[in-house]
Amino acid sequence: MSEPQSVTETKTESEPTTRTDATGAIDIDHLTKIYDPKGEGVVAVDDMDLHIEAEEFVALLGPSGCGKSTVMNCLAGYLEPTEGDVLVDGDQVTGPDPKRGVVFQENRLFPWKTVQENVEFGPQMRDNIEDGRAQSILGEMGLEGFEDAYPSGLSGGMQQRAELARLLANDPDIMLMDEPFSALDALTKEIMQKKLIEVWERDNRTVVFITHDVEEAILLADRVVVMTARPGQVKDVIDVDLDRPRDPEIVTTERFTELRERALSVIREEAQRALEQEESV
Amino acid sequence: MDTRRRLVRIGSVLAVPILWFVASRFGLIPGLPSPGAVTTAYIAEFDRLDFWISTIQSTIRVLVSFAVAALVGIPLGLAIGRYSAFADLTFPALEMLRPIPPIAWIPFTILVLPAAELSIMFITFLGAFFPILLNTVQGARSVEVGYSRAAQSLGAGSFQTFRHVIYPGALPAIHAGMIVGMGLAWVNLIAAEMVAGGTGLGFLTWSAYTSGSYAVIIVGIITIGLLGAASSTLVRWFANWQIGWQEVEAA
Amino acid sequence: MSTGTIDRLQRQFENGTVLPVRRVRQLLSIVGFFVLWSLLVRFEVLGFGLFVGPEQALETLLSALGGAPMTEGGATIYAHAAFSTARVVVAVALAMVIAIPLGLLIGTSRSWEDALFPGLELFRPVPPIAWVPISLLLLPSFRSGVVFVVFIGAFFPILVNTIQGVETVDHEYVRAAESLGAESRQIFRHVIAPATMPSIITGVSIGVGLAWITVVAAEMVAGGVGVGYIIFQAYRLLQTDVVAVGMIAIGILGYVSAALVHRTGHRLNRWQEID
């Protein structure tokens, strides 16, 4: 589990995963999720359709309580749809799977395991720990020297990087990220966003990224899916036709402003509607 | 909870008397009185004044000792938790006495205190006192300094801060201590009554053993258990009533 | 100067007092206790005239530690302490072996909880000491009777805390493990068990405390050997110095065992510290 690894091996770069055939396409087909269907019946997601290409970076954007997290939980396989299907590469999602890795809003590193043990957790479950792999991933995430630390000893940004490292060590086709950077300070957030894009561009995984931050969504994603307030539905899909790599300064460009205004107007409308809904109750 | 689950849970409770019946009927545990014999003995006890006196006496001893423990332990704990000078002067001596099981004090109390009744109550008091004290100290220390500062900035004096910030902030911990304290009050009461003799349910159970009326031992156990459950329910109920804003953690 | 020292100094300043002052006050508390004890005995306040003072208690303690028999022709303090300790160790070990797996089972499986917990709950409100007469009656030997009662004392705190520990494990950790490819056995081993460890340790430390109370009470009423027995026997013989020595002995045993559990818990739950 934690036998000392030779220091010389830490230099080896984690070999870029070769992905010849693109995997990780997602089909959300008439997805409906109703909580407590026998009782009050809260409709969290209502008849949602969405296709996500393999290797695409999609942001799910919407006000709080719009069912983003419910969609995410259905994609991860934690929740079963009340109606409709979630398909990955044509196969029905029936439960959690290491092919679909998850980064949680509050980090879910196991506090009783060291950073290295956390990163090796996935491979360990399949008896497939490769010497030095954890170190090289941790090195890439700027966490060398913290292998034997417990998560409680890391800062928030480091914890989030360690969780990302744990995910990468498992080599998933799809990365599901639920507001992963919302608790970080602005500077750390920017570094993390850059890191994420770097990893995504190199390995070409599918990313579904939940956020309520409009700029973050546009900055990162190929497409931004704006969701309505409860019941959750797709309100608008915005193709982000900005060139990559995107610098943080891109937020000042005209095109970015246009896209942001478009997303914001939808969100404002939705927020207003949600407010009226609450008042009428 | 669906019907099936409820039935299983009822079955789990019913399994106890059934297993008991089987064990006594087929002599699996030699000497174990049967449920029937215990029921008969229970009914007979209802007619005996001695049983009622013992029950009432034990209950009063627990309630009075517990109340005194709370009245002494809570203010003392708050003071120890907030004033380091006071803590330094009192806590080390108390900490030295704490590892001694309350029941070990009984010869001392019989010698020193004027009445046997007081000895038993003192032992019961000690049982409840230390859990209440310790939890109160912890509770008072865990109240975030920001709340006291906020209160002071809003013009609260030192006593007002104590009354309106520290005490309510420590309440959940105090209640947790009271729940543990009530359990330990019963543990030590029963032990004291067995050792010191005289009256009470502990003595009733012990004398049933020495006099060979074995069914009455189990009558005693059941009665003690019922009163123990009732009094811890009482504490929980009191705690819930006292704070609406925070659920008491079930201990 | 190491950062540790700086931290410590800073904390002292924040408390408004420097360390030596606090040490003196704490020492005063202990000394004050012994002075009070001595005065109460000297001036025969209440029935203190019948009890031994600290000076003589200390004298008897030293001779007892030197191996003198506790009562006329009786065993040494070491023998009595060994008997009580053995009972506590056997009973607590037995309680752990049964209560921890049972608690994990009840905590993880709803159907097992339904089947077992309500029945067990019937026994929980009964103080362990109340079982003394019936276990002396039903169990084959006196020795097993006392151990059984002490076992009951330790059993319920360990069981209840283990169950609570399992039930309060954040479900998102289980989800995270599932998404990393863990099977249910692996989740149990790598998530449920370590996450429950702090609660188990809490249960064991409460259980050990109750075990000492129970063993003293059981030895007092049932007689034989052990520190509880010697305290009560010395009382009957009106050797109050021996009563005091017995109380000191049981206090030390209780303190040492609590510290031992605490340290073990600390080592097992190192991850909880923020470093």
Side-chain angles (χ1 to χ4, degrees):
Chain A
M1 228 157 72
S2 62
E3 61 259 30
Q5 317 261 355
S6 63
V7 190
T8 48
E9 276 176 323
T10 54
K11 284 280 176 240
T12 49
E13 278 297 303
S14 71
E15 67 281 25
T17 334
T18 41
R19 290 168 174 277
T20 44
D21 48 340
T23 49
I26 301 172
D27 270 300
I28 298 174
D29 186 19
H30 294 290
L31 174 68
T32 300
K33 179 70 195 175
I34 305 173
Y35 292 107
D36 189 21
K38 286 176 195 161
E40 297 223 341
V42 180
V43 184
V45 180
D46 186 21
D47 199 25
M48 175 175 170
D49 282 309
L50 184 67
H51 175 77
I52 298 170
E53 296 287 340
E55 304 178 1
E56 193 180 8
F57 195 126
V58 169
L60 287 186
L61 179 69
S64 58
C66 74
K68 293 174 297 203
S69 292
T70 304
V71 174
M72 172 72 82
N73 282 329
C74 290
L75 289 176
Y78 302 144
L79 292 179
E80 224 176 292
T82 314
E83 278 168 50
D85 296 298
V86 177
L87 306 166
V88 169
D89 295 328
D91 295 326
Q92 185 112 25
V93 168
T94 53
D97 190 294
K99 282 193 179 125
R100 281 169 275 124
V102 180
V103 173
F104 296 82
Q105 184 172 4
E106 288 165 53
N107 90 83
R108 290 299 167 198
L109 290 168
F110 303 121
W112 47 86
K113 291 182 181 287
T114 62
V115 169
Q116 178 168 343
E117 285 167 353
N118 264 288
V119 172
E120 285 176 345
F121 184 86
Q124 188 196 355
M125 293 302 103
R126 295 183 296 281
D127 287 321
N128 189 26
I129 296 182
E130 289 170 44
D131 278 356
R133 185 161 145 76
Q135 275 90 342
S136 73
I137 294 175
L138 283 170
E140 188 188 10
M141 287 289 139
L143 286 169
E144 56 272 279
F146 290 93
E147 288 85 355
D148 296 326
Y150 285 100
S152 58
L154 304 183
S155 69
M158 288 161 90
Q159 288 176 348
Q160 215 53 273
R161 269 182 277 159
E163 188 161 355
L164 196 55
R166 181 171 76 172
L167 197 72
L168 294 175
N170 225 19
D171 194 19
D173 294 338
I174 299 172
M175 293 167 62
L176 304 170
M177 311 182 80
D178 188 356
E179 307 211 6
F181 309 143
S182 63
L184 303 178
D185 64 273
L187 203 65
T188 314
K189 191 174 182 169
E190 202 179 297
I191 296 168
M192 287 302 295
Q193 288 168 342
K194 218 171 141 190
K195 202 91 222 173
L196 173 63
I197 290 299
E198 207 179 289
V199 167
W200 169 72
E201 285 185 327
R202 189 195 61 205
D203 296 345
N204 291 326
R205 303 172 208 273
T206 311
V207 176
V208 181
F209 190 99
I210 288 189
T211 182
H212 60 252
D213 179 338
V214 178
E215 293 195 354
E216 183 176 51
I218 298 169
L219 190 65
L220 297 177
D222 296 328
R223 275 194 300 157
V224 176
V225 176
V226 188
M227 290 184 67
T228 58
R230 194 168 285 160
Q233 275 169 325
V234 175
K235 178 81 180 181
D236 193 8
V237 178
I238 302 170
D239 281 304
V240 183
D241 46 7
L242 300 166
D243 291 335
R244 293 183 191 270
R246 299 171 189 163
D247 287 324
E249 289 77 45
I250 203 167
V251 299
T252 57
T253 62
E254 201 178 327
R255 183 64 189 143
F256 190 96
T257 316
E258 272 172 38
L259 292 170
R260 186 180 58 197
E261 280 314 307
R262 181 171 156 197
L264 274 174
S265 70
V266 179
I267 285 180
R268 275 193 209 107
E269 198 180 307
E270 279 310 308
Q272 185 61 35
R273 201 170 61 84
L275 203 67
E276 280 160 13
Q277 248 177 13
E278 268 170 41
E279 278 167 358
S280 67
V281 170
Chain B
M1 204 183 290
D2 59 57
T3 335
R4 218 191 119 261
R5 283 196 65 196
R6 205 166 287 156
L7 282 176
V8 174
R9 294 179 81 91
I10 292 169
S12 168
V13 171
L14 289 181
V16 174
I18 292 170
L19 287 176
W20 175 14
F21 175 78
V22 171
S24 68
R25 181 74 181 73
F26 297 102
L28 300 180
I29 306 174
L32 179 69
S34 69
V38 172
T39 312
T40 315
Y42 223 133
I43 293 166
E45 286 296 316
F46 280 152
D47 282 338
R48 287 183 58 228
L49 189 61
D50 196 36
F51 171 77
W52 290 110
I53 291 178
S54 295
T55 305
I56 292 167
Q57 196 140 29
S58 292
T59 309
I60 290 175
R61 282 169 179 164
V62 161
L63 293 181
V64 172
S65 310
F66 179 82
V68 174
L71 289 176
V72 178
I74 295 169
L76 195 62
L78 289 174
I80 290 174
R82 294 316 284 193
Y83 301 116
S84 76
F86 186 72
D88 289 343
L89 286 171
T90 52
F91 210 42
L94 288 168
E95 277 292 278
M96 197 168 60
L97 298 177
R98 189 166 65 92
I100 302 173
I103 186 62
W105 288 85
I106 195 136
F108 165 82
T109 55
I110 291 174
L111 288 170
V112 168
L113 296 175
E117 188 62 34
L118 284 176
S119 296
I120 294 177
M121 302 240 297
F122 182 76
I123 301 297
T124 314
F125 159 82
L126 274 185
F129 174 70
F130 279 110
I132 293 176
L133 177 78
L134 236 73
N135 278 279
T136 308
V137 171
Q138 253 168 26
R141 282 185 182 159
S142 69
V143 176
E144 276 182 47
V145 74
Y147 291 120
S148 323
R149 286 181 183 159
Q152 280 156 2
S153 296
L154 291 165
S158 135
F159 178 75
Q160 286 168 316
T161 307
F162 219 86
R163 166 73 188 77
H164 294 285
V165 178
I166 308 299
Y167 172 67
L171 261 187
I174 292 173
H175 290 149
M178 283 167 73
I179 289 166
V180 178
M182 183 54 100
L184 280 170
W186 275 103
V187 168
N188 287 288
L189 170 79
I190 298 303
E193 287 176 346
M194 279 187 183
V195 177
T199 50
L201 286 169
F203 176 69
L204 180 129
T205 310
W206 181 248
S207 62
Y209 167 67
T210 49
S211 68
S213 26
Y214 296 145
V216 178
I217 299 179
I218 298 185
V219 171
I221 291 178
I222 294 173
T223 313
I224 293 165
L226 287 174
L227 288 171
S231 42
S232 67
T233 309
L234 198 75
V235 176
R236 276 167 214 275
W237 178 82
F238 170 79
N240 282 331
W241 168 80
Q242 209 178 8
I243 31 171
W245 54 272
Q246 194 160 1
E247 274 290 315
V248 182
E249 205 178 314
Chain C
M1 209 185 302
S2 71
T3 45
T5 327
I6 294 170
D7 277 354
R8 213 168 56 231
L9 279 175
Q10 193 164 358
R11 244 177 292 133
Q12 284 164 24
F13 276 113
E14 276 164 12
N15 282 341
T17 357
V18 277
L19 200 62
V21 179
R22 299 203 59 187
R23 282 272 175 277
V24 168
R25 285 199 301 226
Q26 285 166 347
L27 196 69
L28 218 62
S29 167
I30 305 282
V31 173
F33 167 78
F34 284 106
V35 170
L36 183 69
W37 177 8
S38 179
L39 289 176
L40 285 170
V41 172
R42 175 158 309 166
F43 295 103
E44 303 187 4
V45 181
L46 291 168
F48 268 96
L50 296 171
F51 201 68
V52 68
E55 306 86 352
Q56 205 194 328
L58 184 69
E59 203 176 297
T60 310
L61 176 66
L62 289 176
S63 78
L65 289 175
M70 296 294 282
T71 49
E72 201 72 38
T76 61
I77 191 162
Y78 299 109
H80 287 295
F83 264 96
S84 298
T85 308
R87 283 169 176 152
V88 167
V89 168
V90 171
V92 170
L94 217 58
M96 284 170 70
V97 167
I98 298 174
I100 295 174
L102 198 61
L104 291 171
L105 182 70
I106 290 174
T108 42
S109 148
R110 183 181 271 183
S111 39
W112 279 107
E113 194 213 318
D114 288 343
L116 294 175
F117 198 55
L120 286 167
E121 273 286 280
L122 287 188
F123 295 92
R124 188 149 73 102
V126 180
I129 322 258
W131 295 100
V132 169
I134 197 82
S135 34
L136 292 183
L137 180 68
L138 297 180
L139 286 165
S141 71
F142 169 81
R143 236 170 245 180
S144 59
V146 174
V147 170
F148 176 73
V149 174
V150 181
F151 161 80
I152 301 241
F155 176 77
F156 279 105
I158 300 176
L159 178 75
V160 171
N161 278 280
T162 306
I163 294 173
Q164 254 180 19
V166 177
E167 286 176 348
T168 49
V169 173
D170 195 323
H171 194 65
E172 291 220 326
Y173 288 121
V174 176
R175 288 180 163 180
E178 282 173 344
S179 280
L180 291 165
E183 310 280 329
S184 60
R185 283 180 71 99
Q186 293 169 317
I187 289 172
F188 185 84
R189 208 190 121 203
H190 292 282
V191 179
I192 306 287
T196 308
M197 193 58 77
S199 306
I200 293 176
I201 294 295
T202 305
V204 171
S205 78
I206 299 173
V208 167
L210 261 170
W212 281 111
I213 296 179
T214 316
V215 84
V216 169
E219 286 171 353
M220 275 185 174
V221 291
V225 277
V227 182
Y229 163 76
I230 200 65
I231 291 174
F232 205 63
Q233 184 61 18
Y235 158 69
R236 285 207 194 96
L237 302 170
L238 278 178
Q239 297 179 344
T240 56
D241 54 337
V242 178
V243 171
V245 170
M247 289 171 74
I248 295 169
I250 201 76
I252 291 171
L253 289 173
Y255 180 81
V256 169
S257 55
L260 226 69
V261 173
H262 187 78
R263 279 190 58 170
T264 313
H266 214 63
R267 280 183 45 189
L268 286 175
N269 299 319
R270 231 163 1 117
W271 52 271
Q272 282 193 313
E273 295 159 52
I274 294 167
D275 40 8

